[in-house]
């Protein structure tokens, strides 16, 4: 029979070393801690916000929100302003009369760009047309928007 007492001290020491190496659930430095948040936060009317506070590379920063001074939900306001201008939808991508932006699928990428989804009836083929467009926007001191189409791609 084997004498287990011979192995007792090395096993206890090994257990202590392992327990010291395991994380204890202590909080790390709050400045370094990464907070887990959902990728999208629901907003009114199905519009989603992606950026602020989530650590993602898209969306408005807290500084952008202060600078723009567009109220509690600047992403929604920016997308609503875009929605007022269906004439911005590229004519070569959407040949129909009833083409509009799909705001709940569109995204404010940052303080300069919006990726917008558009959809509508196509006159020639009597079907649906859908696509995306990248817009650059600027906001002046009177909260007036100017828009510029950078790229588009029909589906």
């Amino acid at each position: 029979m084997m004498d287990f007492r011979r192995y007792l001290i090395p096993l206890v020491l090994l257990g202590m070393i392992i327990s010291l190496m395991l994380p204890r659930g202590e909080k790390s430095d709050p400045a370094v801690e990464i907070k887990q948040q959902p990728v999208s936060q629901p907003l009114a009317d199905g519009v989603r916000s992606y950026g602020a506070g989530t650590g993602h590379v898209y969306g408005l920063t807290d500084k952008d929100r202060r600078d723009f001074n567009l109220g509690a939900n600047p992403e929604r306001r920016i997308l609503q302003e875009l929605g007022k201008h269906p004439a911005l939808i590229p004519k070569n991508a959407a040949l129909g009369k009833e083409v509009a932006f799909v705001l709940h699928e569109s995204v404010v990428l940052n303080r300069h760009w919006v990726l917008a989804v558009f959809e509508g009836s196509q006159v020639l083929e009597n079907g649906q047309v859908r696509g995306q467009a990248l817009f650059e926007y600027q906001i002046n001191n009177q909260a007036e928007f100017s828009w510029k189409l950078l790229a588009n791609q029909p589906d």
Side-chain angles (χ1 to χ4, degrees), residues 19-68:
S19 69
L20 290 173
M21 294 172 57
L22 294 174
R24 295 180 183 235
E26 296 173 358
K27 293 283 184 179
S28 60
D29 182 12
V32 179
E33 186 175 320
I34 298 174
K35 295 179 181 177
Q36 295 294 325
Q37 294 184 1
V39 172
S40 64
Q41 302 156 355
L43 304 176
D45 300 332
V47 177
R48 296 177 301 188
S49 169
Y50 287 91
T54 62
H56 297 290
V57 295
Y58 47 89
L60 297 177
T61 64
D62 290 337
K63 182 182 182 318
D64 296 338
R65 291 167 178 272
R66 286 189 303 273
D67 290 349
F68 288 163

Side-chain angles (χ1 to χ4, degrees), residues 32-155:
V32 179
E33 186 175 320
I34 298 174
K35 295 179 181 177
Q36 295 294 325
Q37 294 184 1
V39 172
S40 64
Q41 302 156 355
L43 304 176
D45 300 332
V47 177
R48 296 177 301 188
S49 169
Y50 287 91
T54 62
H56 297 290
V57 295
Y58 47 89
L60 297 177
T61 64
D62 290 337
K63 182 182 182 318
D64 296 338
R65 291 167 178 272
R66 286 189 303 273
D67 290 349
F68 288 163
N69 194 24
L70 295 175
N73 195 336
E75 289 93 345
R76 180 173 180 236
R77 171 81 187 279
I78 291 167
L79 293 175
Q80 284 176 338
E81 288 295 324
L82 179 63
K84 294 176 184 177
H85 303 286
L88 291 170
I89 296 172
K91 298 298 181 205
N92 62 342
L95 301 173
K97 295 182 207 173
E98 299 179 26
V99 179
F101 290 107
V102 183
L103 297 181
H104 67 275
E105 294 181 21
S106 300
V107 177
V108 176
L109 296 174
N110 58 32
R111 71 178 295 127
H112 304 287
W113 301 322
V114 169
L115 180 61
V117 175
F118 56 87
E119 182 175 79
S121 301
Q122 195 163 5
V123 175
L124 298 178
E125 296 176 14
N126 209 11
Q128 286 292 106
V129 64
R130 192 172 159 83
Q132 300 86 31
L134 180 64
F135 291 96
E136 180 179 3
Y137 68 96
Q138 293 181 344
I139 306 171
N140 67 16
N141 292 340
Q142 288 79 34
E144 297 171 335
F145 288 76
S146 61
W147 297 94
K148 178 181 176 185
L149 175 66
L150 299 178
N152 72 85
Q153 181 65 46
D155 285 348

